[in-house]
Amino acid sequence: MKRRDIIKSGVGLGLFLPYFYLPTALANLLSFQQTRTLVAFIDALIPADITPSASQLKLHQTLLLHAKEIKNYPELIQLGCQWLDNQADLINQQPFLRLNVQQQNLIIKKAANSDELSIPAQFFTHIRQDLFRFYYANPASWSGLDISPPQPTGYLSYFRPLLNE
């Protein structure tokens, strides 16, 4: 079978979708299903309201770039995404991303309350810490906080002489 025939049949599209969903440097860290599960998970942790959701800020990409630099972190994310999908399959016979918010939150709560050295607890703890750090470092998330950055309107310059009264 020729490569062109595989692509025409649609099978080829399924093989290449992860490369369109993530930048090339990150595409080999997670499978397409794991990437979709990770996106659903981070959106469950930080959903959209008056501020953007975690995936709207593309924090799954930021998280994977960060994980790529830390030993065993990509594997933890892979195992965590597998665990989320396995739990979802046990509950509703469908992947985590297809569950409603309440069902997703039950699984997330189960991970958060797991033994602290377990894969689900480590996955939840590390992803949550990094995700919140990346989220609130992004000025797009500040709109709901009623704060403004100190520059350019912020702090006075102490290098200029004060005007005499």
Side-chain angles (χ1 to χ4, degrees), residues 126-145:
H126 290 289
I127 297 289
R128 184 175 171 267
Q129 286 175 347
D130 290 336
L131 187 64
F132 276 78
R133 183 167 47 103
F134 298 140
Y135 186 78
Y136 289 110
N138 190 324
S141 70
W142 300 351
S143 63
L145 298 177

Side-chain angles (χ1 to χ4, degrees), residues 33 36-45 47 80-111:
Q33 180 60 37
R36 293 176 66 198
T37 300
L38 179 64
V39 169
F41 178 66
I42 67 172
D43 279 348
L45 293 177
C81 290
Q82 285 176 342
W83 183 86
L84 289 171
D85 280 335
N86 289 342
Q87 293 300 308
D89 191 50
L90 289 173
I91 294 171
N92 280 37
Q93 293 76 43
Q94 55 187 346
F96 181 79
L97 69 106
R98 294 222 175 120
L99 299 179
N100 65 41
V101 173
Q102 291 80 18
Q103 293 166 328
Q104 287 181 344
N105 286 339
L106 284 173
I107 294 173
I108 292 170
K109 186 176 181 180
K110 187 175 181 179

Side-chain angles (χ1 to χ4, degrees), residues 14-87:
L15 297 174
F16 296 115
L17 275 177
Y19 296 100
F20 297 117
Y21 202 70
L22 285 175
T24 307
L26 302 176
N28 62 351
L29 289 180
L30 298 178
S31 70
F32 183 63
Q33 180 60 37
Q34 289 170 336
T35 302
R36 293 176 66 198
T37 300
L38 179 64
V39 169
F41 178 66
I42 67 172
D43 279 348
L45 293 177
I46 303 178
D49 49 20
I50 59 172
T51 59
S53 71
S55 67
Q56 289 172 328
L57 295 180
K58 304 225 181 291
L59 293 185
H60 57 290
Q61 293 177 2
T62 306
L63 186 65
L64 290 174
L65 280 171
H66 174 68
K68 193 174 165 185
E69 303 301 320
I70 300 172
K71 184 179 179 182
N72 297 328
Y73 202 178
E75 291 81 5
L76 176 65
I77 295 173
Q78 290 170 357
L79 291 171
C81 290
Q82 285 176 342
W83 183 86
L84 289 171
D85 280 335
N86 289 342
Q87 293 300 308

